[in-house]
Amino acid sequence: MPESTAPAPAPSKLQVFARRLFSTVLLWGVVLSALFSGVQFIENYVFLLIMTVLAGVGLMEFYNLVEKEGMVCFRRWGILGGVLLMAGTFGHFQKWFGRTDSPARVNDFETIFLILFVLGLCLRQFMAKDNPHGIVAMATTLLGLMYVPWLLNFIQKIEFFRFPAGAHAEAGTF
């Protein structure tokens, strides 16, 4: 008869605190270094990296909760869609896709992306022969995309559209 293994002991409060303190100091160190580097390239791409990582980790956590509740979702499609939504919005702000001097153009991109994502989910479900819970899978995947990266994109909009069109960031003005 095989021996049952005892569960690993839970980490102490001091270990949990030390781990969280280390990750907080590391993250804030990277963020503040990037913000005050004075190099626009570094500021922008560290911002993109942090936003994309937050979206990816947030989506993984969301989809873990969905699966823990016994529901189904298209986890990989959702995470890929979230990362592409974050990067695409950033690309619009960096003018990778042409002229984007208006928040409306970024909103148009997001709307088109979400429509195409829903169509992609429908195609994905049509191809799945073994998923009897297709509507639930599509709904939870789309909810994750709307709940995490789409809402995080408002931080990008605040960052890149903080000054009205034609205004410049001058010392002492907000």
Side-chain angles (χ1 to χ4, degrees), residues 153-174:
N153 268 339
F154 283 99
I155 295 174
Q156 288 194 74
K157 291 175 184 177
I158 291 169
E159 171 65 22
F160 290 105
F161 285 124
R162 65 180 137 180
F163 303 108
H168 299 286
E170 297 174 6
T173 61
F174 293 99

Side-chain angles (χ1 to χ4, degrees), residues 2-167:
E3 294 181 25
S4 62
T5 58
S12 70
K13 289 184 179 183
L14 180 62
Q15 289 173 326
V16 172
F17 174 75
R19 197 172 355 156
R20 289 184 179 175
L21 178 66
F22 174 75
S23 65
T24 300
V25 169
L26 180 69
L27 179 63
W28 277 106
V30 169
V31 168
L32 292 175
S33 298
L35 285 175
F36 297 113
S37 69
V39 179
Q40 192 71 29
F41 179 81
I42 293 173
E43 292 174 4
N44 287 343
Y45 288 97
V46 168
F47 180 77
L48 172 65
L49 176 71
I50 289 172
M51 294 299 291
T52 306
V53 167
L54 283 175
V57 170
L59 281 170
M60 284 192 295
E61 182 67 24
F62 178 83
Y63 294 136
N64 282 340
L65 292 172
V66 165
E67 290 173 350
K68 192 181 278 188
E69 286 296 316
M71 294 184 279
V72 292
C73 63
F74 300 125
R75 169 190 292 271
R76 283 180 269 173
W77 282 98
I79 293 171
L80 177 67
V83 168
L84 289 176
L85 180 63
M86 297 298 289
T89 302
F90 181 81
H92 266 74
F93 290 128
Q94 296 301 311
K95 298 182 173 119
W96 293 347
F97 308 115
R99 204 177 117 232
T100 56
D101 54 353
S102 160
R105 290 183 187 264
V106 176
N107 292 339
D108 290 345
F109 162 75
E110 289 176 346
T111 303
I112 291 168
F113 183 89
L114 291 172
I115 290 169
L116 292 175
F117 187 79
V118 169
L119 292 174
L121 285 177
C122 291
L123 286 175
R124 167 66 176 87
Q125 175 55 33
F126 288 144
M127 301 298 178
K129 304 267 191 253
D130 60 344
N131 187 5
H133 307 289
I135 296 296
V136 173
M138 291 187 312
T140 54
T141 305
L142 184 61
L143 179 62
L145 192 76
M146 298 294 293
Y147 184 63
V148 179
W150 185 72
L151 289 176
L152 272 175
N153 268 339
F154 283 99
I155 295 174
Q156 288 194 74
K157 291 175 184 177
I158 291 169
E159 171 65 22
F160 290 105
F161 285 124
R162 65 180 137 180
F163 303 108

